[in-house]
Amino acid sequence: MVVQSNDPELWSNPDNARSVLQKKSGLERSLSELRKLESDYATLSELYAIAPDDKDVINEIENLANAAHQAKFITLFREPADENNAFLFIQAGAGGTEAQDWAQMLARMYARWAERHGFSCDVIEEHPGDTAGIKNITYRIVGNRAYGWLKNEIGVHRLVRISPFNANGKRQTSFASVDVWPDVDDSIHIEINDKDLRIDTYRSSGAGGQHVNKTDSAVRITHLPTGVVVTCQNERSQIQNKEMAMKMLRSRLYELELQKRAEAENAALAQQKKIEWGSQIRNYVLYPYQLVKDVRTGVEKTDSGAVLDGDLDDFMLACLQRNQ
């Protein structure tokens, strides 16, 4: 496997012209966002002077204030893949139905977060739980800086609540892990040898459709040197599933390369990106009190309902600021 990026700061290749173009594109995008804010501010200022009590104008001013707040953090997205879309994988931990239900709650939380940002959130593959919830799910989240936002969500998420599946109403602790990797584009070249791949096809296990559950359209690809396994079953054909699985594989291998280089340069950063059961990054307590607390930054919110409905930006921004 050969991984090359067009970012000279990461791969020490200052003569790479494509890297310059990539950085130029990112700066132009940021500048365009700031200019739009400036233009919107001028327009809304005029409208407010004419109709200060207009509800639509007031709503637009609130939206502009939120956008301006987010724009303050543009400089925090510095890594080569921060501008990219992202793949997000959620895996239920040990604990059967409880953990699988918690994994589904997390899946909804991230889908709502993506919706808040105007991002698309497509299911690549999903395995339902035995009784309720899900065993695991893979999302492809498409939006500006999706990976930059989500990259610090990697880790174990711990839930404490009164179990809805326990007749005795006992408090239950559940775990689920989250993994995130960038959806790499053509600016990052990843060479994969065919001889290093094992490709299996199988019958999809989704909710059904014209082809799902009827043909061996699902695809599983194993990268033998690293042991990385990716699967896709939600596309309409085996060819489309294979294309998406290869895209996921390239992204996973790129993330592995980032981790390997980070480990060589900074052991603490490499450790942060590892997922280990029992070392949760965030606690979601629903009983006997309401509190969501990030273990790494100390940021906490008492409105757990809002957090589970996608209000995650404060946690993400705190991690981004901590890592500068």
Side-chain angles (χ1 to χ4, degrees):
M1 176 185 68
V2 177
V3 179
Q4 296 176 336
S5 168
N6 293 332
D7 190 309
E9 293 182 0
L10 184 63
W11 311 128
S12 301
N13 186 7
D15 298 324
N16 195 321
R18 291 176 66 187
S19 172
V20 175
L21 293 176
Q22 183 185 22
K23 286 190 171 184
K24 179 174 178 287
S25 176
L27 290 172
E28 287 176 341
R29 185 184 299 115
S30 298
L31 183 60
S32 176
E33 292 175 22
L34 295 174
R35 283 175 172 167
K36 185 178 185 304
L37 289 174
E38 185 178 34
S39 174
D40 290 347
Y41 174 79
T43 300
L44 287 172
S45 295
E46 294 177 2
L47 291 174
Y48 184 75
I50 298 171
D53 298 323
D54 187 287
K55 291 184 178 180
D56 290 336
V57 172
I58 294 174
N59 288 336
E60 287 301 317
I61 291 175
E62 292 177 352
N63 293 335
L64 178 62
N66 291 331
H69 175 71
Q70 299 295 340
K72 293 192 302 183
F73 302 99
I74 287 176
T75 58
L76 299 178
F77 299 96
R78 297 179 177 177
E79 292 188 6
D82 279 354
E83 300 284 333
N84 292 38
N85 303 322
F87 290 102
L88 185 143
F89 176 74
I90 300 170
Q91 173 75 49
T97 301
E98 291 286 351
Q100 291 166 14
D101 185 61
W102 172 224
Q104 187 170 51
M105 291 170 65
L106 284 176
R108 179 188 179 278
M109 180 181 77
Y110 286 111
R112 292 287 291 118
W113 173 85
E115 181 182 333
R116 284 168 176 248
H117 281 258
F119 297 168
S120 68
C121 183
D122 299 320
V123 176
I124 301 302
E125 185 171 41
E126 178 180 3
H127 291 100
D130 298 324
T131 302
I134 56 174
K135 294 179 180 178
N136 58 63
I137 190 171
T138 303
Y139 282 137
R140 181 173 183 244
I141 299 179
V142 177
N144 191 23
R145 304 187 185 94
Y147 176 70
W149 279 105
L150 289 164
K151 63 186 179 182
N152 290 309
E153 293 298 290
I154 297 173
V156 176
H157 296 245
R158 172 177 174 260
L159 172 70
V160 179
R161 63 173 175 174
I162 294 293
S163 170
F165 304 101
N166 189 310
N168 296 322
K170 292 184 178 180
R171 188 171 65 176
Q172 180 77 32
T173 300
S174 304
F175 296 90
S177 68
V178 172
D179 198 5
V180 181
W181 57 93
D183 183 356
V184 297
D185 54 28
D186 292 339
S187 65
I188 299 173
H189 173 65
I190 300 174
E191 181 181 327
I192 302 175
N193 296 322
D194 291 341
K195 66 180 181 180
D196 292 336
L197 302 179
R198 184 176 72 240
I199 301 177
D200 303 305
T201 59
Y202 59 98
R203 190 152 298 184
S204 300
S205 58
Q210 184 177 359
H211 299 289
V212 174
N213 296 324
K214 298 178 182 179
T215 63
D216 291 343
S217 60
V219 174
R220 178 188 300 109
I221 300 179
T222 304
H223 186 251
L224 300 175
T226 61
V228 170
V229 179
V230 294
T231 59
C232 184
Q233 67 175 23
N234 279 30
E235 301 296 334
R236 294 179 59 85
S237 70
Q238 185 182 116
I239 293 175
Q240 291 174 313
N241 279 324
K242 183 179 178 181
E243 290 176 351
M244 181 57 70
M246 284 299 298
K247 187 175 186 64
M248 292 169 61
L249 178 61
R250 287 193 295 270
S251 297
R252 289 292 302 274
L253 294 179
Y254 175 70
E255 177 67 10
L256 283 177
E257 185 68 13
L258 286 182
Q259 291 183 24
K260 184 174 71 174
R261 292 171 190 248
E263 188 174 40
E265 297 174 5
N266 187 332
L269 178 59
Q271 181 64 28
Q272 172 196 328
K273 286 185 173 286
K274 294 180 180 179
I275 295 176
E276 297 178 355
W277 298 102
S279 59
Q280 62 269 13
I281 64 167
R282 192 174 300 142
N283 293 313
Y284 304 73
V285 180
L286 307 185
Y287 183 85
Y289 50 86
Q290 301 269 320
L291 181 68
V292 181
K293 182 173 182 177
D294 195 284
V295 175
R296 301 159 299 176
T297 62
V299 172
E300 57 184 48
K301 287 179 173 289
T302 56
D303 190 350
S304 58
V307 173
L308 293 174
D309 202 37
D311 184 12
L312 298 170
D313 285 0
D314 288 345
F315 298 113
M316 295 177 179
L317 289 170
C319 283
L320 285 167
Q321 290 173 308
R322 185 193 67 157
N323 294 331
Q324 295 306 301

